[in-house]
Amino acid sequence: MASSRLFGGLTAKSSFLFGGARSYSALPNSSIPAAKKKYVPTSGTYPLGFKASGTIVGVKPGNTTKPDLAFIASDEPCAAAAVFTKNKFQAAPVTFSRDLLKSKENNNIRGVLVNSGCANAVTGKGGLEDAAAMAKAADKCVGGDGSTIVMSTGVIGQRLPLGNIITNVPKAHESLGSNHDHWMAAARAICTTDTFPKLISKKFRLPSSPSIEYKIAGMTKGAGMIHPNMATLLGIIATDAPIAPDVLPSLLKGAVDKSFNSITIDGDTSTNDTVALLANGAAGGAPISSTSSQDFITFQKVLTDFSTELAQLIVRDGEGATKFVTIRVVESVSEEAARKIASTIARSPLVKTALYGKDANWGRILCATGYALISEPGMPANDVPEVVPEKTNVSFIPTDGSKELKLLSNGEPEMVDEERAAEILELEDLEILVRLGTGDKQATYWTCDYSHEYITINGDYRT
C-alpha cells in the first residue's frame, strides 16, 4: 500500500521527476500555471504620482526573456519606511537601504530599484559598493542625491553583474509608466522561483478627507526561504496618501507584524528580506501626523489588511505547495504563546507532509503544540500553564462553510470520520483550529504543505 500511494502521488503531482512538466513550480516558458492564474489581476487602480517598469537586463546570463530589473519611482519626494530581515548575514542592499533611510530621516525618497537573479548577499565590501552604485544610477535618473532604496533577490554569495544593471537603469527609467501593464512588468521583474507575479491595488478614504479617493498599490515576491523575522521576501507598497515621515515606520511595523510576520513556508529566514512603504501625498488632503488620530487608525487597518492579502499570496505560491493553510490558535494565556504555537505547527515538516498526503494525522498537530513552548524565553510564568492537555481541542474548519470536524476534545480523541476528513483535505484551502482553553488571547499564521516538488525545486535551485 505504501509504495502504491507514493508512486501514485509522484504520477499525479510530481511527474517532473521523470521528465514531465512541474505542476506547482514556475514553468520553463515562464507561463503561469492554470491553478494560479486566478490570483493575477488583469487591471488595477494605481496611486497618483507613481510609475513602474520591468526591464530585461540579463542578471543571469541565460535570461533573455524575463524582466529582471524593477523600477518604481515617484514624481515627487516621498516619506518612506522599511522593515528588514533579522538574519545576522544581511545582504548589501539591506545594509545600504537601512542606512539611507536613517540618514534621510525617512524622507525625500524618490524610488526603489530591485534586481532579481542575484541576492548580492555575503559579498563583502564589494557588494556594498555595488548596491551604492545601483542607487546612484537610479538617482541620476529621478533627480536628487541619496533618494533610491535598492533591493536584490536570488542566489547568495555571488557578485552582481553590475555593468548589465547600471547600463540598463536609464532604459528602465525611460520605460516607467502608470498603467496596469507597467506595474505588472515590475511585479514580474522581482520574481525568482515564484510561479506568478503578486500585485494588488486598492482604493480607500480617510475620515479627515472623505471626498478624496486615495489609492494604494503593492507588489511582493517570495515562494521559498519564507519565515519571520522580519518578512522573508521583498515587498514594495506605494500610496498617494499624505503621511508624515515620523509616523510611517510605526504604521509599517504594525502592519508587518500582523501579515508578513505571520507567514511561513519552510522556516528559513532570508538574508535579503525587505518591505518598503512609500507615501508621496499626491492625492492631497491633511497629512497623517499623529499616531492617535482617526486617520492613523483608519490607515493602519487599510495597510494591515492590504499587507495581509499580499502576504497570503506568497503562501499560495509556496514552492511545490498544493494547499493554503490557516492555523488559528485561540483561548491562549498570551498572544506570544499563541503565536509561538501557531508558528511551530505551521513549520512542522510532519504536519505539512500529512496535509500534502491528505492524511488527518492530528497527532502531529498536537505534538507540535506540546513542544512549541519548551525553554522559550519571554513566555508567561510557569504558574500560569500555557498548554494543559485536558483543556486542548483540535479541529479542522472546512472552508466550504460546512460543520467543523473535531479531532481532539479536551484532550480526548474523537472518533474521526476519515471519509469526511479526506473530503476536507481535498480542498485547496484549510483551517486548523487549536483551542487551548487557558486564556482569551489568540494568533493566526498562514502556511502551506510540503510536496515532493519542494525538494526538487530547492535541490537544483542554483543549477
Side-chain angles (χ1 to χ4, degrees):
M1 286 292 291
S3 296
S4 174
R5 181 177 177 182
L6 172 62
F7 287 107
L10 286 173
T11 300
K13 299 176 181 177
S14 307
S15 60
F16 57 90
L17 289 174
F18 303 101
R22 294 180 175 181
S23 303
Y24 308 116
S25 60
L27 301 176
N29 59 0
S30 298
S31 62
I32 299 169
K36 305 292 181 71
K37 289 182 178 179
K38 60 189 174 185
Y39 303 119
V40 182
T42 56
S43 63
T45 176
Y46 298 100
L48 298 174
F50 282 100
K51 295 182 176 67
S53 69
T55 306
I56 302 170
V57 304
V59 173
K60 284 187 173 181
N63 176 45
T64 59
T65 59
K66 174 193 172 296
D68 52 2
L69 185 69
F71 202 170
I72 297 90
S74 173
D75 294 339
E76 300 295 333
C78 302
V83 284
F84 301 96
T85 181
K86 291 184 178 180
N87 194 305
K88 295 298 182 182
F89 288 94
Q90 297 187 349
V94 169
T95 300
F96 175 85
S97 296
R98 178 191 286 112
D99 291 347
L100 175 66
L101 288 170
K102 183 177 181 180
S103 68
K104 303 284 283 191
E105 297 181 337
N106 297 107
N107 205 7
N108 294 317
I109 299 298
R110 290 290 297 275
V112 183
L113 187 67
V114 191
N115 76 272
S116 61
C118 177
N120 190 13
V122 198
T123 46
K125 182 180 178 181
L128 281 171
E129 292 171 349
D130 291 346
M134 280 180 61
K136 186 175 181 180
D139 287 346
K140 289 180 179 178
C141 294
V142 299
D145 182 29
S147 61
T148 305
I149 296 169
V150 294
M151 304 180 191
S152 298
T153 181
V155 178
I156 295 170
Q158 297 180 2
R159 290 287 295 274
L160 288 171
L162 192 61
N164 290 22
I165 295 174
I166 298 300
T167 56
N168 280 286
V169 169
K171 179 181 177 182
H173 181 256
E174 292 170 6
S175 300
L176 288 171
S178 57
N179 67 31
H180 177 70
D181 289 342
H182 292 103
W183 282 86
M184 184 57 71
R188 289 181 183 277
I190 66 176
C191 292
T192 50
T193 60
D194 306 62
T195 68
F196 66 92
K198 301 163 184 66
L199 175 67
I200 302 173
S201 59
K202 304 280 186 182
K203 299 176 183 178
F204 65 96
R205 297 182 188 274
L206 295 173
S208 68
S209 306
S211 63
I212 300 177
E213 187 175 69
Y214 294 106
K215 301 178 184 69
I216 185 170
M219 64 187 71
T220 188
K221 66 81 52 184
M225 201 176 281
I226 304 293
H227 188 71
N229 277 300
M230 167 285 310
T232 38
L233 42 89
L234 298 185
I236 305 103
I237 301 172
T239 181
D240 53 18
I243 307 173
D246 56 338
V247 304
L248 207 62
S250 176
L251 284 164
L252 183 59
K253 184 180 185 304
V256 164
D257 284 345
K258 297 292 185 181
S259 58
F260 294 115
N261 267 348
S262 293
I263 63 173
T264 185
I265 288 176
D266 48 22
D268 279 323
T269 298
S270 170
T271 55
N272 288 60
D273 314 335
T274 305
V275 171
L277 171 63
L278 281 69
N280 65 6
I288 300 175
S289 57
S290 170
T291 56
S292 61
S293 70
Q294 284 302 308
D295 280 356
F296 182 96
I297 295 169
T298 298
F299 185 72
Q300 181 71 85
K301 185 178 188 312
V302 168
L303 182 61
T304 300
D305 291 347
F306 186 84
S307 299
T308 298
E309 192 172 342
L310 275 176
Q312 289 178 350
L313 287 178
I314 291 173
V315 176
R316 291 192 180 280
D317 199 24
E319 289 172 341
T322 71
K323 296 191 186 310
F324 175 85
V325 186
T326 298
I327 298 175
R328 198 154 55 94
V329 177
V330 302
E331 299 176 11
S332 172
V333 71
S334 70
E335 183 179 346
E336 291 79 9
R339 282 183 62 82
K340 183 61 178 177
I341 291 170
S343 171
T344 303
I345 296 169
R347 71 176 186 270
S348 164
L350 291 179
V351 171
K352 293 159 80 70
T353 50
L355 292 171
Y356 172 67
K358 303 180 180 64
D359 182 4
N361 194 337
W362 56 266
R364 295 180 178 182
I365 300 169
L366 199 66
C367 180
T369 301
Y371 71 70
L373 302 178
I374 295 175
S375 302
E376 267 302 308
M379 289 294 110
N382 290 333
D383 58 346
V384 182
E386 305 95 346
V387 178
V388 178
E390 295 78 14
K391 294 182 178 181
T392 303
N393 297 263
V394 178
S395 297
F396 285 157
I397 308 297
T399 53
D400 60 4
S402 57
K403 186 178 179 181
E404 77 174 277
L405 180 64
K406 294 182 179 181
L407 306 172
L408 184 78
S409 296
N410 294 321
E412 296 289 337
E414 294 278 353
M415 290 293 294
V416 177
D417 182 341
E418 295 290 347
E419 185 174 336
R420 177 63 183 135
E423 290 174 354
I424 293 172
L425 290 168
E426 279 290 339
L427 300 172
E428 181 180 347
D429 287 23
L430 168 71
E431 179 179 323
I432 296 172
L433 176 63
V434 178
R435 297 184 180 93
L436 296 177
T438 57
D440 60 359
K441 300 299 188 294
Q442 62 179 299
T444 301
Y445 249 71
W446 296 281
T447 190
C448 58
D449 57 345
Y450 269 159
S451 70
H452 304 285
E453 190 161 354
Y454 177 84
I455 305 299
T456 298
I457 293 168
N458 285 284
D460 64 7
Y461 179 68
R462 291 202 308 159
T463 55

